[in-house]
C-alpha cells in the first residue's frame, strides 16, 4: 500500500461520550466533522467499544470504514505487492 493512502482510525470510545462525525466525506478533519460539514452525525456512545472510522472519505457507510480505502486487486502478485510495498 502506498504511504499516502489514508488508513482507517481505530478509536476507543467510552459510554457517555458524544462524537460529531463526518458523513459528507469532505472534511479535512476526517473522521471528525468540521464546522462546515454538510452531513454531521452526532453519535452518543452507549458502551465502551472500538470504532473503525473512515479517514479517506470513500466509504459508502460514512463515518465508518467499509474497506473502500483499499479496493480488491486481482491476482496474488498484486496483493503481495500491496502487502510488502515492493
Ligand atoms: S478509511 Fe475510508 S473506507 Fe476505509
Amino acid at each position: 500500500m502506498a504511504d499516502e493512502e489514508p488508513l482507517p482510525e481505530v478509536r476507543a470510545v467510552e459510554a457517555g461520550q458524544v462524537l460529531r462525525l463526518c458523513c459528507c466525506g469532505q472534511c479535512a478533519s476526517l473522521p471528525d466533522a468540521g464546522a462546515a460539514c454538510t452531513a454531521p452525525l452526532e453519535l452518543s456512545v452507549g458502551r465502551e467499544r472500538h470504532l473503525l472510522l473512515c479517514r479517506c472519505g470513500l466509504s459508502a457507510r460514512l463515518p465508518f470504514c467499509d474497506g473502500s480505502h483499499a479496493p480488491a486487486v486481482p491476482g496474488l502478485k498484486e496483493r503481495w505487492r500491496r502487502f510488502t510495498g515492493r
Side-chain angles (χ1 to χ4, degrees):
M1 181 180 301
D3 290 338
E4 65 273 1
E5 292 181 35
L7 295 173
E9 175 184 332
V10 179
R11 185 179 296 183
V13 294
E14 298 177 358
Q17 263 188 296
V18 178
L19 306 174
R20 188 171 182 273
L21 301 169
C22 173
C23 290
C24 74
Q26 304 299 313
C27 292
S29 56
L30 274 170
D32 296 301
C37 185
T38 57
L41 169 70
E42 288 223 356
L43 182 67
S44 297
V45 179
R47 63 178 170 84
E48 182 180 317
R49 61 195 304 182
H50 288 86
L51 302 176
L52 187 61
L53 300 172
C54 176
R55 290 195 307 177
C56 74
L58 299 175
S59 175
R61 298 181 52 238
L62 284 170
F64 305 103
C65 172
D66 69 355
S68 297
H69 63 273
V73 292
L76 182 58
K77 190 174 181 178
E78 285 303 313
R79 280 184 264 166
W80 182 252
R81 181 174 295 144
R82 176 185 279 176
F83 182 71
T84 63
R86 294 183 281 157

